[in-house]
Amino acid sequence: MVGTAARRPLRADAQRNYDLILAAAQKAFATHGAGASLEEIARQAGVGSATLHRHFPSRASLLRAVFRDRVEALCARTEEHTRASEPGTALFSWLRDFNAYAAASRGLAASLLHDGRDAGLLEEDDDCVATITTAAGQLLRDAQQSGAVRPHIRTEDMLTLVSAISLATEGQDDDGTQAARLLDIAIDGMRVASPSSSASTA
């Protein structure tokens, strides 16, 4: 897992319960926010509340696990896009993934900061940010080397821009349409203009 010490290996049945709880929590938090019922999560996972609390002693520990899991999934998408597309398209497709991730994770991040403001949490958050920054940086370098993206753009610029779009549309963009439109405008500004488009605007 991102940002955590390796967990001791679990027995097969315990690992299965852990995975079921995490999957149910992903869906519950996405649908109902960070305040989703833990009892309902346990029910959807097909386990008892005692089993849920044995794996995740607090709501904050479950939120952290979901948050880290989303980071891992987001970063894994960089490899998928790199294999499937040329560098510019891979970067822009991943930025759209990150835009969706930022919107879906707003409630989780806010709850983590509210419920667990401690050194361990801050270290985990720093590790998540570093993991995302590294993944985005490689995509950006590849896109710049291919000539698809302007050379002066930095990784931090991209991530800050997507985060700003997420914050700006919070509470007024339930279906993500406005955030996606704003990101498309930002992506257009990142592209290296083709000779034909430059000539047409001269």
Side-chain angles (χ1 to χ4, degrees):
M1 281 294 192
V2 175
T4 58
R7 291 187 296 115
R8 287 186 303 171
L10 299 173
R11 299 191 319 269
D13 57 338
Q15 183 64 56
R16 175 178 174 276
N17 287 339
Y18 180 96
D19 293 340
L20 287 171
I21 293 167
L22 194 59
Q26 287 270 20
K27 294 178 181 178
F29 291 145
T31 303
H32 303 292
S37 165
L38 297 184
E39 289 74 16
E40 180 62 18
I41 289 172
R43 192 183 72 78
Q44 291 295 329
V47 302
S49 292
T51 299
L52 184 150
H53 288 291
R54 187 159 54 247
H55 286 290
F56 304 100
S58 66
R59 177 181 296 272
S61 65
L62 182 54
L63 286 167
R64 279 195 293 268
V66 170
F67 189 74
R68 293 191 303 268
D69 199 61
R70 286 184 178 179
V71 169
E72 290 183 345
L74 174 67
C75 292
R77 293 285 290 162
T78 63
E79 298 179 6
E80 296 174 23
H81 289 310
T82 298
R83 289 194 300 266
S85 309
E86 55 85 20
T89 300
L91 172 64
F92 300 144
S93 296
W94 185 83
L95 284 176
R96 294 185 177 96
D97 291 341
F98 182 54
N99 197 32
Y101 159 85
S105 299
R106 282 191 300 241
L108 290 180
S111 293
L112 284 171
L113 290 173
H114 180 267
D115 294 338
R117 197 182 298 275
D118 56 36
L121 173 61
L122 293 177
E123 288 173 3
E124 289 171 5
D125 184 63
D126 285 347
D127 282 350
C128 288
V129 171
T131 300
I132 291 173
T133 301
T134 298
Q138 185 60 58
L139 286 173
L140 176 61
R141 285 189 294 274
D142 291 346
Q144 288 173 325
Q145 289 170 5
S146 75
V149 172
R150 297 176 186 273
H152 65 277
I153 295 171
R154 304 179 305 165
T155 305
E156 293 78 5
D157 299 333
M158 293 192 315
L159 300 183
T160 299
L161 184 59
V162 175
S163 297
I165 289 172
S166 177
L167 288 172
T169 57
E170 185 173 7
Q172 58 185 13
D173 187 27
D174 290 341
D175 63 355
T177 302
Q178 184 180 12
R181 185 173 64 252
L182 291 174
L183 180 61
D184 283 342
I185 293 171
I187 286 174
D188 285 343
M190 293 171 59
R191 297 180 193 274
V192 172
S194 65
S196 58
S197 62
S198 298
S200 64
T201 56

